[in-house]
Amino acid sequence: MQTIDLRLAGLKLIIPRLFQDERGFFFESYRQSHFLEQGIDVLFVQDNTSLSQEKTIRALHFQSHPGQEKLVTCVQGKIWDVAVDIRPESPTFMQWEAVELDDQSHQQLFIPKGFAHGFCVLSPVARVHYKVSSPYDSKTEVSIRWNDPEFNIAWPVKDPILSPRDQVSPFFKEIKHVVDHRS
């Protein structure tokens, strides 16, 4: 595995070593010792999988307490994966970064605590698997409007398919107090 530090502090692209032959492929998707060597000291406690159709945007979500690290993998199709730095103390506060993840390169995105996360489906369907460091808790889940002008994310689709919740999520300025006071 190769790990590349991205522009936003703590955000990392994981590139696995693929072994391919006429049968298909094999790769190691997670090894705790490798992650520890790369400074990712995380205990993942829950795995999630979603299946979405083309032009779907699932965005922008985070857990306010205790926060969640995520390891995102697109196991079928292709997505445009976005992380927004919502750490008030960070020099890249309110900046975003996106990477394409797909079922060909098998790259993964590690997202530390303090980031909102979302993705856009670029293929007919996409199955996304992500490991998280704390269990889902509906009481601490927060969402931000996918097209918040403060972030100005350049989503690669027009007229996306959105959940009812993502259509009306608050803008960041409306929930900023949650970020400023999280533990």
Side-chain angles (χ1 to χ4, degrees), residues 6-65:
L6 298 176
R7 184 179 54 83
L8 304 182
L11 204 58
K12 297 177 184 288
L13 186 65
I14 314 298
I15 304 170
R17 184 171 172 208
L18 289 174
F19 299 92
Q20 298 183 49
D21 61 23
E22 65 279 353
R23 299 169 298 165
F25 66 85
F26 170 86
F27 70 96
E28 189 175 274
S29 61
Y30 177 76
R31 183 191 302 193
Q32 184 181 31
S33 61
H34 171 79
F35 279 69
L36 288 170
E37 289 168 9
Q38 300 303 311
I40 303 172
D41 188 4
V42 176
L43 174 62
F44 292 110
V45 299
Q46 181 176 316
D47 284 14
N48 302 315
T49 302
S50 69
L51 179 70
S52 306
Q53 62 181 305
E54 190 169 17
K55 295 177 63 175
T56 295
I57 291 180
R58 292 182 181 259
L60 293 160
H61 307 146
F62 68 97
Q63 296 284 141
S64 63
H65 181 79

Side-chain angles (χ1 to χ4, degrees), residues 48 63 66-70 111-115 132-136:
N48 302 315
Q63 296 284 141
Q68 272 184 341
E69 286 101 347
K70 295 178 180 174
I111 304 169
K113 287 181 185 179
F115 282 78
V132 295
S133 63
S134 62
Y136 171 76

Side-chain angles (χ1 to χ4, degrees), residues 1 5 7 14 17 20 35 37 51 59 63 66 84 86 93 100 102 106-107 144 147 150 157 162 166 174:
M1 270 184 215
D5 291 322
R7 184 179 54 83
I14 314 298
R17 184 171 172 208
Q20 298 183 49
F35 279 69
E37 289 168 9
L51 179 70
Q63 296 284 141
V84 180
I86 56 171
F93 178 56
E100 282 189 4
D102 62 40
H106 306 285
Q107 294 178 352
I144 303 168
N147 59 350
E150 289 193 69
V157 297
L162 301 161
D166 283 348
E174 298 172 85

